[in-house]
Amino acid sequence: MSARLPPERRQELAARLRSARLRVTTPRLIILDALLRVGGHRSVEDVLRHLQREGIRLPRATVYNVIRSLVSSGLVMVADVGPGRMLVESAERWHHHFVCRECGSVIDVPCAVGAKPCLEPDLPGAEVEEAQIIWRGVCPRCVAARAEGGLDARDQETLSRPTGGSI
Amino acid sequence: MSARLPPERRQELAARLRSARLRVTTPRLIILDALLRVGGHRSVEDVLRHLQREGIRLPRATVYNVIRSLVSSGLVMVADVGPGRMLVESAERWHHHFVCRECGSVIDVPCAVGAKPCLEPDLPGAEVEEAQIIWRGVCPRCVAARAEGGLDARDQETLSRPTGGSI
DNA sequence: CCGTTCTCTTGACACTGTCCAAGAAGAGCT
DNA sequence: AGCTCTTCTTGGACAGTGTCAAGAGAACGG
């Protein structure tokens, strides 16, 4: 498969994997690299397409496997922002999401606390690992578009790509 | 189809629909009734099975349609607690969810503030309609089971039925 | 009662995520 | 290095979920 990663990058990623007690494998390096390079959130299919564009073909099952292991070791996070919309992203900075019900875009919102369990549930005896907040409403762009005299907000059609990188 | 609803119940539900500016139709009455009778959250398939057990057969697409209209009018709420796990429940009391990563159960957590948007995102210009919090971690039962000397927490196998009613 | 508008129904479909079994590859040990 | 154990990857198939489209039917307002 020959992951096209510079040696030092490869070393850095491998170190991350090892420190998370994960074996260093090529698919893991590739996917971790892709998720770290892109700041924002991506669907799994986005990741697949991205890799394909770079000439790397990984089975979907592998991508899901890798993501699962990365998630369970805390290197990346997933957010469910709607049915069939599992978003994957680097967990370097904990954050939350705003989902626009008009254009469907998902916007990252920084976590006020910054650390992982930023809220405590009223649930005695539970071990809380993380708290994710999903806001729903109308995003600033759609609000503005509406204010500008009924412009159709759906012009944007950037569904879930507003933080877009190249992935 | 003959919804088996007592007249006064039917009246009450119809009034609710009307006050939400929704047409009063049999599927809507049936589904709203089911969701209100059960306190907790249900997957769409749960709702379908429940209705089937009562001898009512509704197409899945209809259930999804009805739920969508009920949600958009604020009568019920949905929560995405994981991939392919859309939960539907009455929106009478706004609340949040705790998902156990061991047994998979979903536990309702009351909203700290009580009003709907209990948190404000740092996103100027956006219109926030609701905020949903999902906690992930280990639920009290699994914590207890673990403490009791390595009992396999998976005994419970009550996946998403801990608040269980009969639906 | 009539027409308009919305909703339901039906079936098929697409998308997402998972499972399985065989083989390959990483990690630790000698 | 070589061996062995363990884990991971692969590929295909599969299942669960949610959506779409078109026609038939029902509800609302006059």
Side-chain angles (χ1 to χ4, degrees):
Chain A
M1 175 179 304
S2 88
R4 200 95 52 241
L5 289 176
E8 63 274 14
R9 175 73 167 160
R10 192 186 178 92
Q11 292 257 314
E12 179 204 334
L13 296 172
R16 285 205 202 213
L17 288 175
R18 266 189 264 270
S19 75
R21 318 211 158 253
L22 289 178
R23 288 194 176 176
V24 178
T25 69
T26 312
R28 285 177 180 176
L29 290 169
I30 294 174
I31 292 172
L32 184 56
D33 175 60
L35 290 176
L36 288 176
R37 277 210 321 268
V38 181
H41 41 257
R42 294 300 135 202
S43 72
V44 173
E45 301 296 320
D46 277 338
V47 174
L48 276 169
R49 274 193 297 274
H50 166 68
L51 295 178
Q52 239 166 12
R53 239 176 289 139
E54 299 201 340
I56 302 166
R57 213 178 58 80
L58 286 180
R60 234 186 356 193
T62 296
V63 176
Y64 278 101
N65 281 344
V66 167
I67 286 172
R68 183 159 34 187
S69 56
L70 292 179
V71 165
S72 69
S73 67
L75 288 176
V76 311
M77 64 181 276
V78 297
D80 295 292
V81 296
R85 295 189 67 186
M86 181 171 98
L87 298 184
V88 194
E89 50 203 320
S90 149
E92 296 198 297
R93 271 200 305 272
W94 190 252
H95 61 272
H96 307 290
H97 295 93
F98 181 98
V99 184
C100 177
R101 71 163 166 70
E102 302 234 322
C103 66
S105 63
V106 178
I107 303 172
D108 290 349
V109 178
C111 174
V113 178
K116 247 178 141 185
C118 55
L119 290 165
E120 285 299 322
D122 179 14
L123 191 63
E127 277 177 16
V128 184
E129 289 173 3
E130 63 179 50
Q132 276 198 17
I133 308 172
I134 294 172
W135 287 280
R136 291 177 202 280
V138 186
C139 72
R141 274 173 76 180
C142 288
V143 170
R146 247 178 4 193
E148 273 176 28
L151 277 177
D152 188 344
R154 252 129 309 198
D155 289 349
Q156 328 189 174
E157 267 315 341
T158 47
L159 239 95
S160 125
R161 270 178 200 83
T163 49
S166 67
I167 196 178
Chain B
M1 178 178 302
S2 88
R4 202 104 43 246
L5 289 176
E8 66 273 16
R9 174 73 167 162
R10 190 184 179 97
Q11 293 257 316
E12 178 204 335
L13 295 172
R16 286 204 199 213
L17 288 175
R18 266 188 264 269
S19 74
R21 317 210 159 255
L22 290 177
R23 286 193 178 176
V24 178
T25 70
T26 312
R28 286 178 177 175
L29 289 170
I30 293 173
I31 292 173
L32 184 56
D33 174 59
L35 290 176
L36 287 176
R37 276 211 319 268
V38 181
H41 42 257
R42 295 299 133 203
S43 73
V44 173
E45 300 298 318
D46 275 339
V47 174
L48 276 169
R49 274 193 298 273
H50 167 69
L51 296 179
Q52 238 165 13
R53 237 176 290 139
E54 300 202 339
I56 302 166
R57 211 179 59 79
L58 286 179
R60 235 185 356 194
T62 296
V63 176
Y64 278 100
N65 279 345
V66 168
I67 286 172
R68 183 160 34 189
S69 57
L70 292 178
V71 165
S72 70
S73 66
L75 288 177
V76 310
M77 64 181 277
V78 297
D80 294 292
V81 294
R85 296 188 65 187
M86 181 172 98
L87 298 185
V88 193
E89 49 204 320
S90 148
E92 295 198 297
R93 269 201 305 272
W94 190 257
H95 61 272
H96 306 290
H97 296 94
F98 182 98
V99 183
C100 178
R101 70 162 166 71
E102 304 235 319
C103 66
S105 62
V106 178
I107 302 172
D108 289 349
V109 178
C111 181
V113 178
K116 266 172 98 180
C118 58
L119 295 161
E120 283 299 323
D122 177 14
L123 193 63
E127 279 177 13
V128 183
E129 290 174 0
E130 64 179 50
Q132 275 198 18
I133 308 172
I134 294 172
W135 285 281
R136 290 176 203 280
V138 186
C139 71
R141 270 172 78 180
C142 288
V143 170
R146 247 180 2 196
E148 274 176 28
L151 277 178
D152 188 344
R154 251 130 308 200
D155 289 350
Q156 327 190 174
E157 270 314 344
T158 47
L159 241 94
S160 128
R161 275 182 194 80
T163 49
S166 67
I167 197 175

